[in-house]
Protein backbone atom coordinates (compact mmCIF):
# COMPACT_ATOMS: atom_id res chain seq x y z
CA UNK A 1 0.00 0.00 0.00
CA UNK A 2 1.30 3.47 -0.92
CA UNK A 3 0.60 6.27 1.53
CA UNK A 4 0.62 9.82 0.21
CA UNK A 5 1.66 12.70 2.43
CA UNK A 6 0.41 16.18 1.54
CA UNK A 7 2.23 19.29 2.69
CA UNK A 8 0.53 22.67 2.52
CA UNK A 9 3.15 25.40 2.42
CA UNK A 10 2.93 29.03 3.45
CA UNK A 11 2.07 30.16 -0.07
CA UNK A 12 -0.82 27.64 -0.23
CA UNK A 13 0.95 25.28 -2.63
CA UNK A 14 0.59 21.53 -2.17
CA UNK A 15 3.42 19.03 -2.30
CA UNK A 16 2.63 15.34 -2.52
CA UNK A 17 5.11 12.61 -1.71
CA UNK A 18 5.04 9.00 -0.66
CA UNK A 19 5.71 8.10 2.94
CA UNK A 20 9.42 7.72 3.67
CA UNK A 21 10.52 9.78 0.68
CA UNK A 22 11.79 13.32 1.09
CA UNK A 23 14.55 15.59 -0.19
CA UNK A 24 16.96 14.15 2.36
CA UNK A 25 16.44 10.57 1.28
CA UNK A 26 16.72 11.51 -2.39
CA UNK A 27 19.86 13.61 -1.88
CA UNK A 28 21.67 10.91 0.07
CA UNK A 29 20.64 8.20 -2.41
CA UNK A 30 21.87 10.29 -5.36
CA UNK A 31 25.14 10.91 -3.55
CA UNK A 32 25.51 7.19 -2.87
CA UNK A 33 24.96 6.38 -6.55
CA UNK A 34 27.55 9.00 -7.53
CA UNK A 35 30.05 7.84 -4.90
CA UNK A 36 29.74 11.03 -2.84
CA UNK A 37 29.64 10.75 0.94
CA UNK A 38 26.90 12.72 2.73
CA UNK A 39 29.60 14.72 4.55
CA UNK A 40 30.76 16.07 1.19
CA UNK A 41 27.33 17.29 0.04
CA UNK A 42 26.23 20.93 0.13
CA UNK A 43 22.47 21.45 0.23
CA UNK A 44 20.75 24.82 0.00
CA UNK A 45 17.24 25.43 1.26
CA UNK A 46 14.80 27.93 2.70
CA UNK A 47 11.66 26.18 3.92
CA UNK A 48 10.44 23.34 6.10
CA UNK A 49 10.34 20.84 3.26
CA UNK A 50 14.12 21.28 2.99
CA UNK A 51 14.80 20.23 6.61
CA UNK A 52 15.23 16.48 5.96
CA UNK A 53 17.80 17.27 3.28
CA UNK A 54 19.64 19.90 5.30
CA UNK A 55 19.84 17.63 8.34
CA UNK A 56 21.50 14.80 6.38
CA UNK A 57 24.26 16.61 4.49
CA UNK A 58 27.67 17.82 5.55
CA UNK A 59 27.13 21.47 4.65
CA UNK A 60 23.55 22.69 5.15
CA UNK A 61 23.08 26.22 3.78
CA UNK A 62 19.99 28.38 4.17
CA UNK A 63 19.35 31.54 2.19
CA UNK A 64 18.76 34.73 4.15
CA UNK A 65 14.99 34.78 3.71
CA UNK A 66 14.62 31.17 4.88
CA UNK A 67 12.36 30.45 7.82
CA UNK A 68 13.87 30.52 11.31
CA UNK A 69 13.40 26.78 12.02
CA UNK A 70 15.43 25.99 8.92
CA UNK A 71 18.13 28.53 9.73
CA UNK A 72 18.71 26.71 13.05
CA UNK A 73 20.20 23.68 11.25
CA UNK A 74 22.38 25.70 8.86
CA UNK A 75 26.15 25.85 9.03
CA UNK A 76 25.92 28.86 6.73
CA UNK A 77 23.14 31.42 6.33
CA UNK A 78 23.73 33.58 3.28
CA UNK A 79 23.60 37.37 3.35
CA UNK A 80 21.42 37.32 0.22
CA UNK A 81 17.91 35.93 -0.27
CA UNK A 82 16.86 33.18 -2.70
CA UNK A 83 17.49 35.40 -5.75
CA UNK A 84 21.25 35.63 -5.07
CA UNK A 85 21.83 33.41 -2.03
CA UNK A 86 22.58 30.26 -4.00
CA UNK A 87 25.27 32.03 -6.03
CA UNK A 88 26.68 33.53 -2.82
CA UNK A 89 26.91 30.09 -1.19
CA UNK A 90 28.58 28.55 -4.24
CA UNK A 91 31.12 31.37 -4.40
CA UNK A 92 31.91 31.04 -0.67
CA UNK A 93 32.10 27.25 -0.48
CA UNK A 94 33.49 26.09 -3.82
CA UNK A 95 36.94 27.43 -4.73
Amino acid sequence: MITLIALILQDSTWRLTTQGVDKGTATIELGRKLGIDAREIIAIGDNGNDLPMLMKVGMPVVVNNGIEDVKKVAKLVTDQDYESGVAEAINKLIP
Side-chain angles (χ1 to χ4, degrees), residues 61-72:
V61 177
V62 176
V63 293
N64 188 271
N65 61 324
I67 63 173
E68 290 304 315
D69 285 345
V70 177
K71 287 181 179 179
K72 290 177 185 175

Side-chain angles (χ1 to χ4, degrees), residues 2 6 12 22 31 40-41 55 78 84 93-94:
I2 297 175
S12 298
D22 56 40
E40 300 177 276
I41 298 173
M55 292 170 56
T78 64
S84 302
L93 298 172
I94 301 174

Side-chain angles (χ1 to χ4, degrees), residues 7-62:
L7 300 174
I8 303 171
L9 305 177
Q10 290 174 333
D11 62 358
S12 298
T13 60
W14 287 64
R15 306 254 169 113
L16 295 176
T17 184
T18 58
Q19 188 172 11
V21 176
D22 56 40
K23 288 182 179 184
T25 304
T27 300
I28 298 306
E29 179 63 17
L30 177 60
R32 186 188 67 73
K33 287 185 178 201
L34 296 173
I36 302 169
D37 189 272
R39 294 171 294 188
E40 300 177 276
I41 298 173
I42 299 168
I44 304 172
D46 67 347
N47 214 319
N49 65 329
D50 297 317
L51 272 172
M53 171 182 67
L54 295 170
M55 292 170 56
K56 291 181 180 177
V57 301
M59 178 53 74
V61 177
V62 176

